[in-house]
Amino acid sequence: MKRISYALLAIALIFSGCIEENLDMGKPDHAGGPKKDKGGDDGGSSDGSVTYYLTGSSEDIQTNSTLGYLLAGGASDQKSWFDWMVNKSDGGDFVIIRTDNSDGYNDDTFIEGANSILTLVINDQATANSNFVRDKIRGAEALFIAGGDQTQYYDLWNGTEVENSIHYLANEKGVPIGGTSAGLAILGEFAYIPQSSGVISSEALNDPYHPYMESIKTDFLQLPGLGNIITDSHFSERDRLGRTITFMARLIADGVVSSYQDIKGIAVDEFTAVAIEANGDAKVLGDGTYEDYAFFFSANSVPDQCAEGLALHWTDAITAYTVKGVSYPSNSFNISNWNSLSSAAQSKQVNVNYGSISNDIQQPD
């Protein structure tokens, strides 16, 4: 059984659909209050300023950063995630982007070893297109997208300098890029951007064209190494296996991918993250004492029945690799060739019989 109590989970759900910060993280004394970059000729948000929080050095440095991705499943963040990113940044400038006005990551005892920690509050398109935001993101040696609302991220950042600058970091500069919860949801090529409260597994399985299944976007972030991948977070905790399988079925049935062999999925439990190197080697980071996992999915065939108003039927649906998060993982799952290099990985076949899943991988053996 998951070690988080139902009471604590209920509290978490009440306060936020995507809790991305450790609740014990307070603002350090030296962080100060919010700062604003005045607009004018240098750009700025619609009210003439950009709100940001800075901890550490204000002088930009350049380091030998390397590309990688940190896909975190949500709930309380783990220091090991940021240790991995800081190491890949070679101690450079660490930038967090979000839409809500919070400085919870500006704690240099949590993100330890970075030259600076800068949180940018980007909550309108004018801010997202400002020179200040563009330059600060492009100056990063590590970028992390906080949890929140992926629909806001899509509506406010798509087609702006935020998106362009993230592509610059991945394609030209080569830095680690991470995200938790909603921040994870937008990192794969296929992003679920709900225009409603979001779909649950039973709704998706019983009608793959349920109104809440309406928005899988392909025109947002396109990051090298994460093509043809759809991601999901809070996975076991919110029983999201059914909806992830249905997302994959829809992408095949709707012809979004040219072949069923092209679609892949990565789903991550809370308190867990997948750390992916540039060559595709992915290690699953966890506390080591908790029963939290990451899941790697590949489709085996074309769905037998994926139609509006009818339950999903997929007799040879997906192969699922399940990897437990540990503090110091030694083996990897490679997302470039979709093979496990870890004896700890469990491989299962999962099928869907008219809306019913044959094998519940969310309770590994």
Side-chain angles (χ1 to χ4, degrees):
M1 179 178 290
K2 311 293 290 183
R3 83 266 171 250
I4 185 169
S5 70
Y6 290 113
L8 288 177
L9 180 58
I11 292 171
L13 292 174
I14 289 170
F15 280 97
S16 173
C18 301
I19 300 172
E20 73 283 1
E21 299 166 3
N22 187 322
L23 298 180
D24 292 331
M25 286 167 53
K27 181 174 68 178
D29 292 337
H30 59 275
K35 302 171 178 65
K36 289 182 179 290
D37 170 67
K38 297 304 179 184
D41 294 337
D42 292 330
S45 66
S46 57
D47 64 357
S49 61
V50 178
T51 299
Y52 66 97
Y53 300 86
L54 175 66
T55 301
S57 175
S58 60
E59 296 186 10
D60 179 54
I61 65 171
Q62 297 184 14
T63 65
N64 295 316
S65 59
T66 56
L67 179 66
Y69 302 109
L70 193 285
L71 311 182
S76 293
D77 302 294
Q78 305 298 301
K79 189 175 183 299
S80 63
W81 308 351
F82 298 99
D83 288 344
W84 182 84
M85 292 190 70
V86 169
N87 181 62
K88 292 192 70 64
S89 79
D90 193 28
D93 297 306
F94 202 112
V95 173
I96 296 97
I97 59 175
R98 61 194 313 155
T99 55
D100 61 315
N101 191 351
S102 174
D103 67 346
Y105 288 106
N106 282 76
D107 185 340
D108 55 6
T109 64
F110 193 68
I111 303 178
E112 189 175 13
N115 179 59
S116 67
I117 306 166
L118 175 68
T119 295
L120 296 169
V121 180
I122 311 171
N123 52 17
D124 57 61
Q125 287 193 341
T127 300
N129 277 312
S130 70
N131 293 341
F132 181 81
V133 164
R134 177 200 63 201
D135 294 344
K136 291 301 182 184
I137 293 177
R138 290 180 179 233
E141 280 73 47
L143 180 79
F144 189 75
I145 306 169
D149 182 344
Q150 66 254 41
T151 302
Q152 282 193 351
Y153 296 167
Y154 179 83
D155 291 343
L156 299 179
W157 300 348
N158 185 32
T160 70
E161 285 300 324
V162 170
E163 181 182 25
N164 294 338
S165 297
I166 296 173
H167 285 152
Y168 166 79
L169 293 180
N171 292 304
E172 298 185 44
K173 190 172 182 178
V175 311
I177 297 170
T180 184
S181 192
L184 161 63
I186 63 174
L187 290 179
E189 178 178 357
F190 306 121
Y192 177 49
I193 308 297
Q195 303 301 312
S196 58
S197 59
V199 70
I200 61 175
S201 287
S202 59
E203 293 168 336
L205 289 167
N206 286 302
D207 182 359
Y209 291 82
H210 188 282
Y212 290 173
M213 286 284 292
E214 78 282 15
S215 297
I216 298 177
K217 300 293 187 180
T218 60
D219 61 344
F220 199 13
L221 296 179
Q222 303 291 304
L223 302 177
L226 297 182
N228 288 336
I229 290 174
I230 188 165
T231 62
D232 215 340
S233 60
H234 303 279
F235 189 67
S236 297
E237 292 80 2
R238 301 187 186 178
D239 188 26
R240 287 180 166 174
L241 174 60
R243 80 174 203 173
T244 300
I245 293 176
T246 309
F247 286 151
M248 295 174 68
R250 278 285 305 272
L251 289 164
I252 297 168
D254 293 349
V256 179
V257 293
S258 57
S259 166
Y260 71 84
Q261 296 171 319
D262 292 333
I263 182 62
K264 301 292 190 291
I266 299 176
V268 190
D269 282 350
E270 295 177 354
F271 306 94
T272 310
V274 179
I276 305 172
E277 301 291 342
N279 65 359
D281 283 346
K283 294 183 177 180
V284 182
L285 303 176
D287 182 89
T289 62
Y290 300 149
E291 295 295 320
D292 291 301
Y293 295 80
F295 306 87
F296 302 88
F297 303 130
S298 59
N300 297 329
S301 66
V302 175
D304 302 276
Q305 175 175 285
C306 183
E308 184 176 357
L310 299 176
L312 178 65
H313 186 55
W314 200 356
T315 54
D316 187 18
I318 66 169
T319 298
Y321 284 94
T322 303
V323 183
K324 184 179 180 180
V326 297
S327 299
Y328 302 101
S330 58
N331 294 314
S332 305
F333 184 95
N334 190 279
I335 68 167
S336 296
N337 53 31
W338 224 254
N339 285 325
S340 173
L341 304 179
S342 171
S343 59
Q346 298 183 38
S347 174
K348 290 186 177 181
Q349 301 300 307
V350 182
N351 305 317
V352 182
N353 183 30
Y354 296 103
S356 297
I357 294 176
S358 66
N359 212 344
D360 185 3
I361 62 161
Q362 291 167 295
Q363 297 294 331
D365 297 333

